[in-house]
């Protein structure tokens, strides 16, 4: 029988990490092995799938920048447009895995399964989780029922929507969760089980931006003043995500400043510094009158990506809010 052909795209991370000893699982150098070498540790991969490996970058994901997303998008689209490829697997560091997954979920319009996978322990550890995670990711990428679900994340036997998944533990192999939304499926012993169909968010009509609009995150804390927000505006921010207290509460100390920014051409989104829950639009802040956005339960770093993508594709003001609302409703 013809084997499904999968495109495996390596970017580095802990799944390709190496430590000084097999007993070491948290003190190591990410992005030390090539993806081809990692694939060779799982012989079953080439037995079950026809695998194409590419490696557009090799870095720890704490060094991933929006410019890297452009390279990744190009390579994903290359695989999407190859009719011989059934599914795509991207190996990635876990620190910004959820940001890359959100970016792809909101910018790649394809029915093909796109899976982002990482590992919490380096490839050299006795208890490395990368090999099993990679095999699981390929099982999902080759699963016909994975089509049309947008970008998915597979970690520790669980399948998550790329939009909702987030890292919740610094070192446990069970580090990823989708607060409020929940996992969409599981994979065990090569078998994929779906709990529900994750919604497909509306994607932007992708045009690689020549320059990404700068969007910063201003985090609230007791006693915070306007220093960070003023600095972001001075640095040329086109958007600011205000990660406020609780239900996105904004300190009185700089509320008027925040409210004045949209009229100056700096979009503002209010969200929570991150407690799971849907931030409500508030009359007390006069969100509508001041053109301030809200993004339900999306955490600040995902709101930032939605704003960057929207602004880069000409969505501004109410049009940006409508697109964000459509994303939220797609859950
Ligand atoms: C990284 O994100 O590249 C380092 C941490 C990890 O992959 O778990």
């Amino acid at each position: 029988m013809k084997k499904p052909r999968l495109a495996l795209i390596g970017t580095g991370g802990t799944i390709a990490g190496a430590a000084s000893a097999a007993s070491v699982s948290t003190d190591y150098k990410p992005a030390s092995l090539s993806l081809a070498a990692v694939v060779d540790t799982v012989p079953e991969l080439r037995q079950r799938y026809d695998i194409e490996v590419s490696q557009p970058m090799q870095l720890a994901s704490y060094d991933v920048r929006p410019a890297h997303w452009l390279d990744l998008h190009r390579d994903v689209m290359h695989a999407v447009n190859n009719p011989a490829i059934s599914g795509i697997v991207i190996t990635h560091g876990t620190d910004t895995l959820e940001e890359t997954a959100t970016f792809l979920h909101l910018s790649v319009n394809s029915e093909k399964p796109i899976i982002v996978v990482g590992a919490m322990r380096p490839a050299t550890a006795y208890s490395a989780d990368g090999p099993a995670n990679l095999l699981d990711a390929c099982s999902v990428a080759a699963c016909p029922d994975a089509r049309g679900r947008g970008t998915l994340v597979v970690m520790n036997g669980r399948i998550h929507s790329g939009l909702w998944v987030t890292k919740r533990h610094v070192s446990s192999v069970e580090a990823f969760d989708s607060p409020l939304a929940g996992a969409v499926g599981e994979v065990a012993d090569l078998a994929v089980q779906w709990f529900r169909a994750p919604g497909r968010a509306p994607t932007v009509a992708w045009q690689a931006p020549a320059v990404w609009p700068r969007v910063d995150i201003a985090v609230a804390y007791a006693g915070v003043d306007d220093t960070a927000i003023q600095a972001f505006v001075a640095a040329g921010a086109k958007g600011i995500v205000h990660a406020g207290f609780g239900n996105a509460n904004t300190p009185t100390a700089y509320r008027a400043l925040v409210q004045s920014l949209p009229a100056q051409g700096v979009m503002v989104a209010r969200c929570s510094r991150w407690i799971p829950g849907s931030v409500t639009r508030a009359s007390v802040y006069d969100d509508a009158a001041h053109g301030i956005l809200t993004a339900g339960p999306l955490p600040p770093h995902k709101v930032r990506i939605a704003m960057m993508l929207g602004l880069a594709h000409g969505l501004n003001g109410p049009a940006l809010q409508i697109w964000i609302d459509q994303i939220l409703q797609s859950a």
Side-chain angles (χ1 to χ4, degrees):
M1 207 175 75
K2 202 162 177 287
K3 295 189 273 191
R5 186 185 289 195
L6 303 180
L8 268 56
I9 303 175
T11 72
T14 296
I15 195 166
S20 55
S23 54
V24 176
S25 63
T26 63
D27 183 13
Y28 57 87
K29 191 169 170 303
S32 298
L33 309 176
S34 67
L35 174 56
V38 175
V39 167
D40 286 346
T41 65
V42 192
E44 205 161 348
L45 283 173
R46 291 201 187 275
Q47 289 160 17
R48 298 180 61 83
Y49 310 110
D50 185 5
I51 285 185
E52 279 182 17
V53 175
S54 64
Q55 181 101 42
M57 58 196 89
Q58 174 74 321
L59 72 173
S61 78
Y62 44 72
D63 288 329
V64 166
R65 304 175 61 81
H68 294 113
W69 297 338
L70 302 186
D71 293 342
L72 192 54
H73 195 283
R74 179 202 59 215
D75 288 9
V76 167
M77 289 314 296
H78 187 71
V80 159
N81 292 327
N82 179 349
I85 300 283
S86 313
I88 299 152
V89 174
I90 299 152
T91 57
H92 200 286
T94 62
D95 285 349
T96 61
L97 187 149
E98 66 207 71
E99 290 174 62
T100 295
T102 301
F103 163 72
L104 293 172
H105 193 77
L106 298 179
S107 67
V108 177
N109 186 7
S110 169
E111 293 297 297
K112 285 190 185 176
I114 300 170
I115 317 300
V116 190
V117 64
M120 294 301 293
R121 294 177 178 163
T124 51
Y126 287 127
S127 53
D129 52 331
N133 285 349
L134 184 58
L135 187 58
D136 286 349
C138 290
S139 297
V140 179
C143 173
D145 289 340
R147 289 179 63 83
R149 296 175 189 251
T151 298
L152 301 169
V153 168
V154 173
M155 288 291 291
N156 203 33
R158 298 207 295 158
I159 310 166
H160 297 270
S161 160
L163 181 64
W164 298 108
V165 71
T166 190
K167 188 173 178 178
R168 305 283 277 169
H169 195 281
V170 299
S171 59
S172 168
V173 293
E174 180 59 348
F176 281 78
D177 196 11
S178 301
L180 304 178
V184 298
E186 284 184 336
V187 51
D189 297 347
L190 308 169
V192 178
Q193 170 74 53
W194 299 100
F195 303 149
R196 63 182 176 85
R200 274 290 290 288
T203 56
V204 289
W206 175 254
Q207 295 279 340
V211 181
W212 278 107
R214 182 184 178 114
V215 178
D216 291 296
I217 301 174
V219 182
Y221 47 88
V224 65
D225 63 18
D226 64 1
T227 306
I229 294 177
Q230 298 280 21
F232 292 146
V233 173
K238 298 284 179 281
I240 291 181
V241 179
H242 180 251
F245 304 106
N247 188 12
N249 291 321
T250 311
T252 314
Y254 56 62
R255 193 178 302 172
L257 170 65
V258 164
Q259 288 171 330
S260 73
L261 292 177
Q264 300 171 46
V266 181
M267 293 301 300
V268 175
R270 285 195 313 113
C271 62
S272 180
R273 64 166 189 180
W274 187 37
I275 309 166
S278 280
V279 167
T280 48
R281 287 182 74 69
S283 57
V284 68
Y285 296 115
D286 238 346
D287 286 330
H290 292 101
I292 290 178
L293 311 173
T294 52
L298 277 184
H301 49 293
K302 291 184 183 248
V303 178
R304 171 176 177 260
I305 292 167
M307 285 180 81
M308 289 173 71
L309 274 169
L311 290 170
H313 290 83
L315 297 176
N316 221 314
L320 188 51
Q321 182 69 66
I322 288 169
W323 184 55
I324 290 173
D325 288 345
Q326 287 169 346
I327 293 168
L328 299 175
Q329 277 155 23
S330 74

